[in-house]
Amino acid sequence: MTPNWRLRPHDRDRVAHLSRESGLPPIVAQLLLNRGITDGTMAKAYLGARRDGLHDPEGLPGMVEAAERILRAIRDGRKIVVYGDYDVDGVCGTSVLWSCLKLAGAADAEFYIPHRVDEGYGLSADSLRKIVHEHQARLIVTVDCGVSAVKEAQLARELGVELIITDHHTPGSSWPEADVVVHPLGQGGCYPFPDLCGAAVAFKLAWQICKSFGDGKKASPHFRDFLLRSMDLIAMATVADIMPLEGENRVFVRHGLRGIASPEASVGLKALLQISGLLGRDRLTAANIGYKLGPMINAAGRLKRASAAVQLLTTTDPAEAQELAITLDLCNKERQDVERTIVTEAHRQIEAGGGLGERGAIVVGSPNWHPGVIGIVASRLVEAYHRPAVVVALGEALAQGSARSVPGFHLYDALKACSAGLIGFGGHKAAAGLKMDPAFFPEFAERFDTHCRTALTSDLRVKELLLDAEVALGMLTVKAVETIETMEPFGNGNPRPLLLAERVHVVGQPRIVGDKKSTVQVRFGQGDITLKAVGWNMADRVTELSPGTACSIVFHPSINEWGGRRDVQLEIRDFRVADSAEGRVARPA
């Protein structure tokens, strides 16, 4: 689908004022204004992302009581089980909280990650009985799940086990009657930053526990060092769970990325970095987590058992870490093969049904699809068709689905409007999961598509590239681009700056490179300036870029390091040949 280009508003006077007040180049001032940063003080806080920008955990509803109950269980020697979700968020949060319990002196604490296929998402009744009867748990603490476990919380009371729920997903119409629920949107709470991932909520609980081993307000040096090291895993969870990189999340990811790249990183993280080709880099980005590290951790939970990922992130044995990292890497490669097969079959289903047409949503399913991979497939379908997508693995007794949304469309609310007949569902505005009887799938598919046809506005139906600013190539010096990169981490809520340059021309003959021959290398010129550019997966458009061709380009500015040199490189997102029918840019009035 060809995207529309829309340029953000540009107020020259406001840009000049912020540039003078902050001492930043005008292009960076424009980028900050686009993100709601309007004065020098805000700019300093935003770019600094200092650790003192984290809010005290006591502000989270239920936090103080949860920590007190856990500390009491530790003192009494009761069995504690940390019950985490099987994705990166749950794995990282489980690793942090379990490690904290061990550090706090818990003599009998273990973690439990449900099997994605056999047990499904969340706190299930069967898993709860197993933990109580077989693992002899007396206190269960959930991580990244449980806010929708209303029946399971009642079962916990009947089984006589203490239950603390920590979660961040959208709550349903009623809260579970657990002993304590720790949630940014908790009842009666007014926590100032509601967009924490599940691991960050677990980190806050660990922080509150650690404070008990200091003066009650601050943790002792030993526990403080543990918390600082733990920010590595919270950074990974925040990025992998596509949380907005604003507020506290910027602090977690900024400092966590530094920790992952540092010599003091855990042996598990070092093993992951080595096998992914990232070990030894001075600087890591959120994209490295999103495309390299996160998928390897996720793969264990998708195809095998996520407990292997928790073992990797908590081990202190380099040999064990290396073995586990190899296992996760092999698992991820298997996941990639399965994903490609399902994506191909999904496209065939869509085409057999008439293509995109007037669909409000993409809903596809098959009994042959692995439920551990369908979430990634849903994301691929959203990228291809720009519609909310639900992909369902149709088991004999139970159908499990994963859903992903387009920007601006609240997926959880859409599923809630179509929830009659579902066995269960949960998630948030960007991603969700659901369960149903396989026989109900055709009815659900029609109902969800009908709802989305009405709910999706004309603007939401069109893929759009929102451009931060129009620039001349001469503005993009190494120093200017390095200053832009201080806005990292980039991701949801703080997208990589996307710039527009018009009236540029192709210099020389473009080349197709890469192992898969899918990448285009090209040089663009404007006046006396010529810059290198790369277009990932654009080999099919290389014939449009003959030498001398005039065009407009949309790109991310970056620094390319090679052979000791640092040069500006343009990462092309889209281009249009001059005078083409699609060559207009929507500009603010």
Side-chain angles (χ1 to χ4, degrees):
M1 177 179 290
T2 302
N4 290 340
W5 295 1
R6 181 162 67 87
L7 192 63
R8 289 181 180 270
H10 177 85
D11 187 322
R12 184 172 300 177
D13 292 337
R14 294 182 72 204
V15 169
H17 175 76
L18 181 56
S19 178
R20 287 192 305 270
E21 194 174 38
S22 64
L24 296 166
I27 180 59
V28 179
Q30 171 70 57
L31 298 175
L32 291 174
L33 284 168
N34 291 348
R35 286 149 181 79
I37 310 301
T38 57
D39 60 51
T41 301
M42 293 176 67
K44 182 179 179 180
Y46 184 87
L47 296 176
R50 291 166 51 92
R51 285 197 297 263
D52 58 13
L54 295 177
H55 302 297
D56 191 291
E58 291 188 14
L60 272 166
M63 179 59 73
V64 173
E65 183 182 355
E68 289 175 350
R69 285 175 176 267
I70 290 171
L71 288 165
R72 191 158 53 243
I74 292 174
R75 288 193 298 268
D76 294 345
R78 287 185 284 142
K79 176 68 169 286
I80 304 174
V81 173
V82 179
Y83 185 106
D85 190 19
Y86 39 62
D87 65 359
V88 178
D89 194 10
V91 163
C92 289
T94 297
S95 300
V96 169
L97 189 54
W98 179 80
S99 297
C100 176
L101 297 182
K102 302 300 286 186
L103 189 64
D108 195 2
E110 63 180 64
F111 58 82
Y112 186 92
I113 308 289
H115 191 281
R116 181 186 287 262
V117 178
D118 297 340
E119 299 172 270
Y121 169 77
L123 185 63
S124 68
D126 289 343
S127 298
L128 192 56
R129 292 189 181 96
K130 180 179 180 181
I131 294 171
V132 173
H133 297 313
E134 296 182 21
H135 295 253
Q136 299 296 304
R138 291 297 172 262
L139 170 60
I140 298 173
V141 186
T142 72
V143 173
D144 191 37
C145 61
V147 75
S148 61
V150 175
K151 293 181 180 178
E152 289 76 12
Q154 180 60 43
L155 175 61
R157 288 187 180 276
E158 295 170 6
L159 293 172
V161 65
E162 198 171 358
L163 176 63
I164 295 173
I165 289 174
T166 77
D167 202 352
H168 75 120
H169 291 97
T170 305
S173 56
S174 59
W175 291 80
E177 293 183 7
D179 292 282
V180 186
V181 177
V182 182
H183 193 291
L185 300 177
Q187 295 167 295
C190 52
Y191 191 70
F193 187 74
D195 291 319
L196 296 174
C197 67
V201 177
F203 172 88
K204 295 278 185 158
L205 178 54
W207 182 357
Q208 185 66 22
I209 293 170
C210 289
K211 286 162 60 177
S212 298
F213 294 87
D215 61 4
K217 292 296 182 182
K218 293 183 179 180
S220 68
H222 183 52
F223 282 87
R224 180 179 181 275
D225 289 344
F226 162 75
L227 292 170
L228 293 177
R229 291 194 305 272
S230 297
M231 291 180 72
D232 302 358
L233 301 187
I234 309 309
M236 287 214 296
T238 299
V239 172
D241 221 44
I242 323 178
M243 303 310 293
L245 297 184
E246 304 165 345
E248 288 190 282
N249 290 340
R250 279 185 59 78
V251 180
F252 281 126
V253 178
R254 169 72 65 81
H255 294 278
L257 285 170
R258 291 174 181 170
I260 296 171
S262 75
E264 289 74 35
S266 70
V267 295
L269 285 175
K270 287 178 179 175
L272 275 181
L273 291 171
Q274 182 176 27
I275 207 163
S276 62
L278 297 173
L279 188 65
R281 289 198 182 186
D282 294 333
R283 177 175 168 272
L284 295 175
T285 67
N288 295 141
I289 293 176
Y291 294 106
K292 291 280 191 177
L293 304 181
M296 282 198 290
I297 295 175
N298 253 335
R302 292 187 186 283
L303 298 181
K304 307 291 183 184
R305 287 208 78 110
S307 55
V310 179
Q311 289 175 289
L312 172 67
L313 297 177
T314 56
T315 184
T316 57
D317 181 350
E320 182 185 26
Q322 187 65 27
E323 182 179 343
L324 287 166
I326 291 172
T327 299
L328 263 60
D329 184 48
L330 292 174
C331 207
N332 189 43
K333 289 174 179 174
E334 180 184 351
R335 185 271 307 168
Q336 291 170 333
D337 291 339
V338 174
E339 174 196 333
R340 281 190 286 267
T341 299
I342 298 178
V343 168
T344 299
E345 293 177 1
H347 282 307
R348 288 174 182 163
Q349 275 194 29
I350 295 165
E351 291 305 312
L356 180 61
E358 298 299 318
R359 293 177 191 249
I362 301 294
V363 186
V364 289
S366 169
N368 301 318
W369 292 349
H370 195 295
V373 182
I374 53 178
I376 305 174
V377 175
S379 295
R380 299 287 181 262
L381 297 181
V382 172
E383 292 171 9
Y385 299 100
H386 199 71
R387 292 291 185 275
V390 183
V391 182
V392 182
L394 298 167
E396 291 185 9
L398 180 69
Q400 300 181 55
S402 284
R404 298 294 184 269
S405 189
V406 297
F409 185 73
H410 203 297
L411 186 60
Y412 179 89
D413 288 349
L415 286 174
K416 186 176 181 180
C418 304
S419 60
L422 293 178
I423 295 174
F425 71 101
H428 45 75
K429 61 184 177 183
L434 59 154
K435 298 176 184 178
M436 67 184 82
D437 187 302
F440 182 64
F441 173 71
E443 181 179 340
F444 169 79
E446 182 177 354
R447 183 185 300 174
F448 189 73
D449 177 66
T450 300
H451 173 81
C452 290
R453 286 190 192 211
T454 303
L456 276 175
T457 64
S458 57
D459 290 342
L460 292 176
R461 290 171 178 268
V462 180
K463 184 182 292 187
E464 182 178 76
L465 291 179
L466 190 57
L467 314 182
D468 277 292
E470 182 176 358
V471 297
L473 296 188
M475 297 169 60
L476 301 175
T477 63
V478 170
K479 183 177 180 180
V481 176
E482 286 177 341
T483 306
I484 290 174
E485 290 186 342
T486 64
M487 294 175 60
E488 282 269 21
F490 295 128
N492 179 31
N494 182 38
R496 289 185 69 190
L498 193 57
L499 305 181
L500 165 69
E502 297 200 292
R503 295 178 295 279
V504 303
H505 60 275
V506 178
V507 178
Q509 186 66 46
R511 300 168 54 218
I512 298 179
V513 298
D515 294 338
K516 298 179 181 179
K517 299 298 181 184
S518 61
T519 301
V520 174
Q521 280 187 350
V522 60
R523 298 181 72 86
F524 288 107
Q526 189 182 58
D528 298 331
I529 303 297
T530 301
L531 293 178
K532 295 182 295 184
V534 59
W536 315 112
N537 299 314
M538 282 191 170
D540 58 334
R541 298 188 62 187
V542 71
T543 55
E544 301 175 53
L545 295 172
S546 55
T549 300
C551 54
S552 300
I553 56 175
V554 171
F555 59 90
H556 301 298
S558 63
I559 298 293
N560 182 48
E561 300 185 38
W562 182 257
R565 288 179 53 87
R566 291 174 58 80
D567 299 307
V568 174
Q569 176 177 272
L570 314 181
E571 297 180 24
I572 304 301
R573 284 287 308 276
D574 198 9
F575 66 87
R576 293 174 178 167
V577 174
D579 302 324
S580 71
E582 298 176 325
R584 298 183 182 87
V585 180
R587 299 176 183 275

